[in-house]
Amino acid sequence: MATDVVMPQMGESIAEGTIVRWIKKVGDKIDRDEPLFEISTDKVDAEIPSPAAGVLTEIRVKEGETVPVNSVVAVIGAAGEKPASAPGAASSQAPSEPVAAPAKAAAPPKAQPQADGAATKAPASAESAPPKPTPAPPSSGGSTEEVIRQRSSPLVRKIAKEHNVDISQLQGSGMAGRVTKDDILAYVGQEAQEGADRGAKPLAERPPSAERAKGPAIEMPAFKPGAATEVVPMSVMRRKIAEHMVMSRRTSAHVHSVFEVSFGRIDAIRHKKKAEYERAGAKLTYLSFIVKAAVDALRAVPVVNASVDGDNIVYHQNVNLGIAVALDWGLIVPVIKGADEKNLLGLSRSVADLAARARSKQLKPDEVSGGTFTITNPGVFGALFGMPIINQPQVAILGVGNVEKRAVVIDDAIAIRPMAYLTLGYDHRIIDGAVADQFMSHVKHALENWDPDNA
């Protein structure tokens, strides 16, 4: 008996997913729960297991294609069953092959993102680019609220609310005109640039603009024929990182504060305790101490653990700490939920576990969402410090520089100590410099005066 493989819903606000890679090919045998394909969504990249054992007889969605959740992407047949495209089966399968064709023909044009390995393909022409959201025609039935719910996800509605955008007035590039995350971010970006010239007005009062529909003008470099260049399409993850970072810079008033911290005391405690931690299944690193110090500082200065909702400040009762993990194909920020309830050992275990599963694409959607504060560690690559961009909708991010031995002055004498720069990037809309420095002073004091009983 054939089993349909559907695009899973990787989180409440996820409406669609992109097939990044097929791990199995048509005709391959597969066991239940064996990785079948890899997807990318607004929240996470993940390998999807097979729902049944058998033979992969049909793949309906190509690599790089984006489809709504619950769409059939493949079919698994019983062991020994021939693939739909196998010789001798073409005539019997031909009538049923174009199953999804009518739905795709009826949908508005949509760009199909390339897979990571599509470097040899020619760059898409301007005509194949995804259409920018434009004012949509009035709905023929249902209330405005119902239309908005049908044509957008909770995530899109949240972004629209934050930027005072009327979703019912936009024509999206998704299935049946559905407004996607890409659409709303593109529109918000266009409005931000135009707002400086004509002032902020309700969407209904703004006249349609052909220029706005086309998007902001971007000067592209001219590549002459035969030039020594290689054009590689962005991966799904890279595009989403780009969108998120640009949106964050437009949203928050970024300011940075840098503190120099001595890790001499931490270094001594770490060498004394690291064997004990390894026996407990954890790795005691400098980052472990920094995470614990940051969590305690967030409790002492709660506005750094807050977020902005319009004209309101939302103070989060729990500390959900995001740890940026660099991957070969991008960057992801898994979240330690309830970090303020964990001791140093528990935090060390959580950091190691989330980083390992991020690199093996085993994270779940709820493990990369809900963060209230983020720590990024460019120092692991040797950077002295960085100026990190805030991970929206948070209001601050801590950057960790390389810990290295330097000459410092202690009691009018020159000494050698392991030192590092810690950088706090914060949103000046709600965090003033004095408050940011108060937070950093808590972190610095904790690290330079660590109680050995807490390790």
Side-chain angles (χ1 to χ4, degrees):
M1 181 178 177
T3 301
D4 288 339
V5 180
V6 301
M7 174 63 72
Q9 183 165 17
M10 302 294 285
E12 181 182 353
S13 63
I14 302 300
E16 59 188 11
T18 300
I19 302 288
V20 175
R21 179 172 65 100
W22 282 101
I23 300 172
K24 295 291 184 178
K25 297 180 176 61
V26 172
D28 286 352
K29 293 181 180 179
I30 188 168
D31 295 327
R32 181 182 176 87
D33 295 329
E34 185 179 1
L36 176 57
F37 61 101
E38 183 182 323
I39 69 169
S40 181
T41 71
D42 288 350
K43 297 291 187 183
V44 68
D45 284 9
E47 291 182 351
I48 306 302
S50 172
V55 175
L56 183 59
T57 59
E58 186 179 357
I59 291 179
R60 295 187 181 178
V61 178
K62 299 176 182 178
E63 291 182 353
E65 199 169 345
T66 302
V67 296
V69 298
N70 296 323
S71 299
V72 177
V73 298
V75 178
I76 296 176
E81 186 173 338
K82 291 183 178 181
S85 58
S91 59
S92 60
Q93 295 292 336
S96 60
E97 281 179 359
V99 173
K104 290 185 179 180
K110 178 170 182 173
Q112 304 299 341
Q114 299 292 335
D116 287 354
T120 59
K121 295 184 180 178
S125 66
E127 294 178 358
S128 64
K132 291 290 188 288
T134 56
S139 174
S140 58
S143 66
T144 302
E145 186 176 348
E146 290 174 349
V147 171
I148 290 175
R149 281 201 304 268
Q150 293 171 1
R151 299 180 61 246
S152 63
S153 67
L155 176 62
V156 170
R157 293 196 291 274
K158 181 176 183 294
I159 296 173
K161 179 182 177 183
E162 291 174 352
H163 295 275
N164 195 29
V165 175
D166 185 354
I167 297 177
S168 66
Q169 299 298 310
L170 301 182
Q171 177 66 44
S173 62
M175 297 288 286
R178 186 179 180 86
V179 178
T180 67
K181 180 184 174 186
D182 291 349
D183 294 333
I184 190 68
L185 289 177
Y187 190 85
V188 167
Q190 295 162 24
E191 292 297 299
Q193 290 197 2
E194 295 177 5
D197 296 329
R198 52 182 166 77
K201 295 180 180 179
L203 184 63
E205 297 178 13
R206 300 175 187 172
S209 168
E211 291 301 317
R212 182 165 67 240
K214 294 177 182 176
I218 300 176
E219 286 200 21
M220 300 298 293
F223 298 109
K224 296 180 179 179
T229 60
E230 180 184 8
V231 180
V232 181
M234 285 188 183
S235 66
V236 175
M237 175 179 279
R238 177 50 53 193
R239 288 202 316 274
K240 295 187 183 304
I241 291 172
E243 293 165 0
H244 193 64
M245 293 298 96
V246 171
M247 184 265 286
S248 180
R249 293 290 293 183
R250 288 172 174 159
T251 300
S252 296
H254 280 69
V255 183
H256 294 84
S257 192
V258 182
F259 273 53
E260 187 176 28
V261 178
S262 171
F263 279 78
R265 188 173 182 84
I266 295 297
D267 188 61
I269 296 173
R270 177 174 168 266
H271 279 88
K272 183 179 178 180
K273 296 281 189 177
K274 65 179 182 179
E276 177 185 333
Y277 272 63
E278 287 173 359
R279 289 193 295 271
K283 189 175 181 181
L284 188 59
T285 65
Y286 291 123
L287 183 60
S288 302
F289 291 93
I290 294 169
V291 167
K292 184 66 170 73
V295 168
D296 293 342
L298 289 170
R299 278 301 187 199
V301 190
V303 70
V304 183
N305 193 53
S307 59
V308 178
D309 182 13
D311 293 331
N312 299 318
I313 301 175
V314 180
Y315 289 89
H316 302 290
Q317 299 301 310
N318 298 322
V319 175
N320 297 332
L321 194 70
I323 303 293
V325 178
L327 308 172
D328 291 340
W329 55 93
L331 181 75
I332 197 167
V333 186
V335 177
I336 303 174
K337 300 292 178 65
D340 52 323
E341 299 175 358
K342 298 179 183 291
N343 58 16
L344 185 63
L345 176 61
L347 290 171
S348 300
R349 284 173 171 165
S350 296
V351 170
D353 171 63
L354 289 174
R357 288 193 291 116
R359 295 186 177 103
S360 61
K361 300 183 179 180
Q362 300 299 316
L363 292 174
K364 299 175 182 177
D366 62 346
E367 292 178 316
V368 292
S369 61
T372 58
F373 184 80
T374 295
I375 295 179
T376 182
N377 186 16
V380 72
F381 301 106
L384 290 180
F385 60 86
M387 298 295 172
I389 298 176
I390 297 167
N391 185 16
Q392 298 294 327
Q394 300 164 25
V395 294
I397 181 170
L398 182 66
V400 179
N402 184 36
V403 179
E404 59 181 8
K405 289 185 177 180
R406 290 199 287 268
V408 295
V409 177
I410 300 177
D411 296 330
D412 294 330
I414 296 177
I416 305 298
R417 294 287 187 274
M419 306 292 293
Y421 295 107
L422 302 185
T423 303
L424 182 71
Y426 58 96
D427 190 340
H428 209 339
R429 291 181 300 170
I430 66 168
I431 300 176
D432 294 328
V435 176
D437 291 346
Q438 180 187 358
F439 171 85
M440 291 298 289
S441 294
H442 275 281
V443 174
K444 178 181 172 71
H445 183 270
L447 294 172
E448 293 184 341
N449 301 275
W450 197 274
D451 183 354
D453 292 336
N454 288 336

